[in-house]
Amino acid sequence: MLISEIFKKKKCVYSFEIFPPKATFPIETIYDTLEALSGLKPDYISITYGAGGTKSDNRTIELANLVKNKYNTPSLAHLTAIHSDKEGVTAFLKEMQANSLRNILALRGDKVEGMPLSKDFRYASDLAKFISQYRDFHISGACYPEGHYESPDLETDIENLKIKIDNGVCHLNTQLFFDNKDFYKFIELARKKGIGVPVQAGVMPILNKRQIERIVSLSGVKIPAKFSRLIALYGDSDEDMKKAGTDYAINQIVDLIQNGADGIHLYIMNNAALARAVTSAVSPYIERINAK
Ligand code: FAD
């Protein structure tokens, strides 16, 4: 099912993001996770694309195909363009078509040291424009409630985001964030700038202190004072931090649902037990909104 069709049916769309196992692991190592995640009945599961973009590292289509055709859950395949070209993207799209996959998340990606930059695609909007020639794809895109780390300010980032929408992106997933106020401000600004597509809020339950340090260094997301207090209180025990981080994510999601977010995209890091804990807590709220 096209993701745009899901948004026509639901006020609040709920999805998971997973990453493929490394090429050195048999694909079967992820079967149990997929079985458990699909059993939680998300509206779709998205599958990341390795940053370098080499064929041997990328099992995105293989996973998207499994999710859709073995586990009967709509899938969204990510694709980055920064180190690719029109021929590489065309081959990816044709492989998607051959597997009856139609949902694609068009990304620029981040530069990998030592790899040549694309001669064809500078921004995600260039990739979206190229894919939109195919007509039969639903194109999603990424967005950043606190602004993308290379952007001088949020306004400029949202102006650039509008180009992505004008080039065919019809749904957005946000980068994870910890302060819902940033999401609400972003939505207000985006709507003012004429971005009307559904925006799903990206939420990641934090399991330990090392994870939060890695996320902050990679993405530059802000840690609000109330979350810093949790880290100070529970960060020295993985067990306590996992409980506090999961509760924090659940509270964040309930607040987002009650304030009319178009959807929740859960960064679940292939952790089915965590997905189950969050889903059982938030699904009554999602069901109630969708029944209205
Ligand atoms: P863009 O939309 O191209 O934006 C990048 C920067 O360029 C921004 O600062 C923007 O303001 C600026 N810009 C855009 N258009 C213009 C323009 N026309 N003129 C001037 N400036 C412009 N990475 C992976 O490697 N694999 C994944 O699977 C993956 N999945 C992701 C999923 C989500 C939901 C998110 C939020 C991110 C994901 N990423 C992934 C990370 C992403 O690749 C990086 O955040 C990357 O730095 C930006 O990608 P983008 O598609 O948002 O880029």
Side-chain angles (χ1 to χ4, degrees):
M1 185 190 282
L2 290 181
I3 285 171
S4 25
E5 295 299 318
I6 303 175
F7 276 100
K8 281 184 199 156
K9 292 187 186 147
K10 295 208 168 169
K11 285 191 185 129
C12 185
V13 168
Y14 184 64
S15 57
F16 299 140
E17 180 164 314
I18 60 166
F19 53 86
K22 283 198 186 324
T24 45
F25 287 93
I27 196 76
E28 291 79 12
T29 55
I30 200 164
Y31 281 9
D32 284 351
T33 306
L34 294 183
E35 176 98 41
L37 291 179
S38 56
L40 298 172
K41 304 274 174 237
D43 290 305
Y44 69 90
I45 296 178
S46 90
I47 301 101
T48 63
Y49 187 84
T54 61
K55 177 83 182 150
S56 62
D57 281 345
N58 279 300
R59 304 172 99 179
T60 305
I61 292 187
E62 192 179 0
L63 257 274
N65 191 19
L66 266 174
V67 166
K68 174 172 182 276
N69 296 318
K70 183 169 160 65
Y71 294 99
N72 298 316
T73 302
S75 62
L76 169 65
H78 296 201
L79 176 66
T80 64
I82 193 164
H83 297 302
S84 191
D85 55 18
K86 286 182 181 168
E87 292 73 35
V89 171
T90 303
F92 189 93
L93 297 177
K94 290 216 179 314
E95 200 180 335
M96 283 194 61
Q97 284 174 324
N99 288 286
S100 307
L101 300 170
R102 294 285 182 274
N103 297 313
I104 187 161
L105 178 69
L107 295 152
R108 184 199 69 179
D110 288 308
K111 187 171 166 21
V112 176
E113 266 326 299
M115 287 192 72
L117 288 176
S118 172
K119 60 180 172 18
D120 295 324
F121 308 109
R122 185 160 180 199
Y123 300 112
S125 52
D126 302 323
L127 178 62
K129 190 173 190 176
F130 184 76
I131 299 171
S132 64
Q133 300 175 96
Y134 280 73
R135 306 235 166 258
D136 51 350
F137 285 101
H138 156 97
I139 312 173
S140 298
C143 65
Y144 304 83
E146 299 171 43
H148 182 259
Y149 69 93
E150 289 167 26
S151 220
D153 51 59
L154 184 61
E155 282 227 28
T156 312
D157 200 33
I158 292 178
E159 275 156 22
N160 293 332
L161 182 62
K162 178 71 166 60
I163 304 171
K164 202 148 61 172
I165 306 301
D166 293 343
N167 284 1
V169 165
C170 55
H171 153 239
L172 294 165
N173 275 340
T174 77
Q175 176 171 262
L176 62 98
F177 57 89
F178 296 103
D179 191 340
N180 287 359
K181 284 206 263 339
D182 290 323
F183 178 79
Y184 301 135
K185 183 176 154 208
F186 167 82
I187 293 289
E188 199 185 325
L189 268 174
R191 300 303 185 220
K192 269 191 196 146
K193 298 267 181 203
I195 295 174
V197 302
V199 182
Q200 265 180 274
V203 175
M204 181 187 268
I206 292 300
L207 299 180
N208 58 58
K209 200 175 167 187
R210 299 172 300 284
Q211 183 194 10
I212 187 81
E213 286 163 355
R214 200 171 56 248
I215 288 165
V216 170
S217 80
L218 285 175
S219 64
V221 292
K222 214 168 65 194
I223 303 296
K226 66 176 173 180
F227 199 59
S228 297
R229 281 197 293 277
L230 283 191
I231 301 169
L233 273 172
Y234 305 113
D236 56 354
S237 153
D238 281 4
E239 202 186 319
D240 292 348
M241 190 64 228
K242 181 174 159 191
K243 170 136 189 15
T246 307
D247 287 349
Y248 189 92
I250 291 169
N251 287 334
Q252 228 191 317
I253 293 171
V254 171
D255 181 75
L256 287 160
I257 296 167
Q258 289 173 340
N259 282 286
D262 297 319
I264 306 296
H265 187 60
L266 202 62
Y267 292 101
I268 209 61
M269 302 153 290
N270 297 14
N271 186 331
L274 184 61
R276 195 174 301 114
V278 175
T279 305
S280 67
V282 305
S283 55
Y285 295 90
I286 295 180
E287 279 162 21
R288 182 167 292 195
I289 286 281
N290 283 332
K292 292 250 174 222

